[in-house]
Amino acid sequence: QAQLVQSGAEVKKPGASVKVSCKTSGYVFTNYGVSWVRQAPGQGLEWIGWIAASNGHRDYGPTFQDRLTVTMDTSTNTVYMELTSLTSDDTAIYFCVRDFDYRPDYWGQGTPVTVAS
Amino acid sequence: QTVVTQEPSLTVSPGGTVTLTCASSTGAVTSAHYPNWFQQKPGQEPRALIHSASIKYSWTPARFSGSLRGGRAVLTLSGVRPEDEADFYCLLYCGGPQHWVFGGGTKLTVL
């Protein structure tokens, strides 16, 4: 069974960057993609970006194009999400989710990111 | 930019049937949007229920079903149980850089 385990909670100051990891196991890493989704406190889900583990192709949500970088390490089956120029609006729980063939299925446990001065 | 709309809240009695819908601002929702449905309970990560409009996962209870109807994606819960109380999100594939777009979510209350 697929498992996605994310790194721990982060607290950052405005203007800083955050990098969240998502270590995958239980499936062939390069056969799937991984999406990143976030959820601000008390709000809904927001898709922010995706990477295809087969070839590294990336898609980023329009509002994140300039600040988001999704990378991967095939030697450790880990995907990373880095968001720069943080503001309080980026305070949210960030989830990674296995995503292939138009069916995001297995989710990580979420990583709370708090941006505060 | 596509906006996906769901009912903000619905209430259903235990044992009843409830229908949640998912509409797109760009027109009818079709199979090309590969509609997905997720359930999220407080403090938990979302759980996938339905993909490709109507296909269940192995863990999806039989009382959940998905379809396309009247230009919308539809999630139907039959024989609702108290433990079904949760937030439900639909997700549509919109292609290009926007890739996926979530609906705003439906808060389902079982009362």
Side-chain angles (χ1 to χ4, degrees):
Chain A
Q1 177 169 319
Q3 278 196 309
L4 290 82
V5 179
Q6 301 181 222
S7 49
E10 301 268 9
V11 179
K12 296 293 182 181
K13 293 192 182 303
S17 300
V18 68
K19 191 170 186 177
V20 179
S21 68
C22 173
K23 184 168 177 57
T24 72
S25 62
Y27 68 95
V28 178
F29 180 71
T30 50
N31 284 355
Y32 293 81
V34 172
S35 274
W36 287 90
V37 174
R38 74 178 186 180
Q39 186 169 38
Q43 302 300 310
L45 302 171
E46 179 181 25
W47 179 83
I48 62 175
W50 170 82
I51 188 167
S54 59
N55 59 11
H57 176 80
R58 301 163 180 79
D59 280 330
Y60 297 155
T63 58
F64 301 96
Q65 290 282 348
D66 297 332
R67 302 194 293 133
L68 177 67
T69 302
V70 178
T71 56
M72 64 181 186
D73 182 344
T74 55
S75 68
T76 60
N77 295 344
T78 302
V79 177
Y80 299 90
M81 184 280 303
E82 183 173 21
L83 193 61
T84 62
S85 302
L86 294 170
T87 73
S88 58
D89 290 341
D90 295 314
T91 293
I93 299 176
Y94 288 76
F95 296 98
C96 60
V97 53
R98 192 180 75 164
D99 183 357
F100 173 72
D101 201 22
Y102 308 102
R103 44 181 163 142
D105 50 12
Y106 289 92
W107 292 66
Q109 83 276 20
T111 296
V113 174
T114 302
V115 182
S117 54
Chain B
Q1 189 165 337
T2 303
V3 176
V4 177
T5 302
Q6 301 179 242
E7 297 85 2
S9 64
L10 291 169
T11 300
V12 61
S13 299
T17 296
V18 65
T19 298
L20 289 67
T21 71
C22 175
S24 171
S25 63
T26 60
V29 175
T30 70
S31 57
H33 290 98
Y34 301 95
N36 283 259
W37 290 94
F38 302 90
Q39 178 188 47
Q40 187 181 32
K41 296 183 178 181
Q44 298 183 13
E45 68 271 20
R47 179 177 73 144
L49 293 174
I50 300 285
H51 69 88
S52 300
S54 61
I55 301 176
K56 300 179 189 182
Y57 291 91
S58 59
W59 55 80
T60 304
R63 61 185 180 276
F64 291 86
S65 64
S67 63
L68 292 172
R69 192 192 316 161
R72 300 184 179 208
V74 174
L75 178 69
T76 301
L77 283 70
S78 305
V80 173
R81 299 182 180 183
E83 60 263 32
D84 295 333
E85 186 165 288
D87 294 326
F88 291 84
Y89 293 92
C90 71
L91 178 65
L92 300 182
Y93 179 73
C94 296
Q98 197 174 15
H99 209 94
W100 290 110
V101 179
F102 280 97
T106 295
K107 182 177 182 62
L108 182 67
T109 300
V110 181
L111 202 58

